Structures are given as structure tokens and as C-alpha cells.
Amino acid sequence: MTAPSELKRQLAGVRGLLLDLDGVLVLRGKLIPGAAEALAALDAARFPYRLATNYSLFSRASLSGQFAKAGVVIPPEWIVSAASAAAAHARRHFGSEPIYVMTSEDARVEFDGLTLMSHDEAAEPGARAAAVIVGDAGEEFTSRTIQSAFRLLRGGARFVAMHKNRWWITPAGVALDSGAYVAALEFGAQRRAFVTGKPSRAFFGEGVRQLGLSAADVAMVGDDLWNDILGAQKAGLRGVFVRSGKHGDADLARLASARGGRAPDAIAPSIVEIVGALV
Ligand SMILES: [Mg+2]
């Protein structure tokens, strides 16, 4: 257990935060106790923060709306999601060329203005796409859509993944995440996907840029030791681990013994203690 003064010392010099969503602010679809008050304390102290999440089942506008219903004001433009990062990547690289985006209906709005193929178009024999982008497609991951994605990749489409999260905690229990589908396609197509969300360096870079700070002054707060903590550290940020989400002592031990593993820069029970040490 880290003493409050120890946490304060570990967080000295942190001038901005990137906050993971699932496991840090929300768990099983509900706000984590004290998270709303912690965000209010950051707002009151004008301490800069942004949400940096791989959660891509919803658009940033919908996420912002859901927070508003829970009484927490987070403007959509304060959210960097794996879906918004994938859309920005697609705008830069694929322009008006057809792309096959496997994502939820709601997150699809992030891709407004781009040429998205329907599932039927993607399934047509001889179909071609500039890119296949795999996100949190939920029920739209079917053998038909996966086969379409595979054929498009075989036909030369670029391969982009919003993230490669293995699993997550839903209101109904643990669930296989879209990273497993990405891995299946990588295995079949014998190619690696380009990841736009965490732990990609570009993703953390975008969050830091939005804060107007340098990476060394920013701490990423997350519950995933690899995607959040190690990823942020590799991008030059500090990685602050919270125990309020999916990883715990067994994962900390696994990380410590892994090649290239590195301890988090700080460990706290939840966002509440971190904000308490900062403002
Ligand atoms: Mg998380």
C-alpha cells in the first residue's frame, strides 16, 4: 500500500493526465466510486486532463453524452479514442478510397465523410478495399464479416486495428475483446496490423499534443499494465497503475518477470488517490 506522501513524491512534476476510461473512471458500465468527484476536483483546480481510451464501441459524442447523463461533463473533443485515432489515420492515408471498417454502428460516425463499404459490398467476389480497419464490432463479428475482411486483406488492403485488447470486463462478465479477432486475421493473412490505439506511440502523442504539454510532464493513468502503463512509458510519459480495474498482483508479477517489463511509476488503489495527490 502506497502512503499518500509517497504517491505525492512519485507524481511530483506531473502537469497533465491522460485517463483511461474502463477500469479507471468506469467499471461494468458504472462510474467507479469517487471518479466523478475526482474529475470535478481536477476541473476546479484547472488541472489539464484528457480521456485516452481504446474503448471504441461508442463515438466520442456518445461517450460524452453518457457521462453527461451521469452528471460528469467531458466534452467530446477531450476524448481521444482508438476509433477517433483510426478515423484520423484513415483520413490521412486513404482519402476517398473505399475502406472496410468493422466497428459498431455508433462508432461509425467517427468515419463520417470517408467511403465506407457495407458488409454486402465487402462480401462481393472480387471486392477491393484500400484498408480493413478492425474495431469493436461486437455482434458484427460474424464468420461472414471476418471472411470478407480476410479476403480484402489477401487482395492487398492495408491492415489497421483500433487496438489489440485481449479481453475486458462487461456488465455480463469477462468478454473476448476485438484484439482476438485481429490476431485471427493476422494469423490467416500472415501480416501484422497497424494499431492506432494504445499502446501505439502515436496515440499517446496525440493525447499529449492535445494537452499542450511535453510527454515527460504527463502521466497516463490506466488499469492495463501493458497497453496503458508500458505503452505510455515507451512513449516517454509516466505510467500510473490503478487497481480499480482488470489487472492486479498476478499481472504485476507477470510484467516484472517479462522481457522488457518495467514497474509502473506509481501504483494507487484508484483515480481518487491520484487526484488527491495532485490537486
Ligand atoms: Mg482500461
Side-chain angles (χ1 to χ4, degrees), residues 225-226 229-231 233-234 251-264:
L225 286 163
W226 283 266
I229 309 306
L230 201 54
Q233 290 172 330
K234 283 183 176 167
D251 305 284
L252 278 165
R254 205 156 70 80
L255 177 70
S257 63
R259 211 169 134 245
R262 181 173 147 190

Side-chain angles (χ1 to χ4, degrees), residues 75-117:
E77 60 273 19
W78 280 27
I79 303 172
V80 188
S81 77
S84 69
H89 178 86
R91 277 192 190 91
R92 281 196 302 273
H93 295 278
F94 312 125
S96 59
E97 294 177 89
I99 53 177
Y100 186 40
V101 181
M102 301 182 80
T103 186
S104 69
E105 215 41 56
D106 190 84
R108 208 172 289 275
V109 305
E110 298 285 3
F111 294 83
D112 271 357
L114 295 168
T115 309
L116 303 192
M117 295 168 83

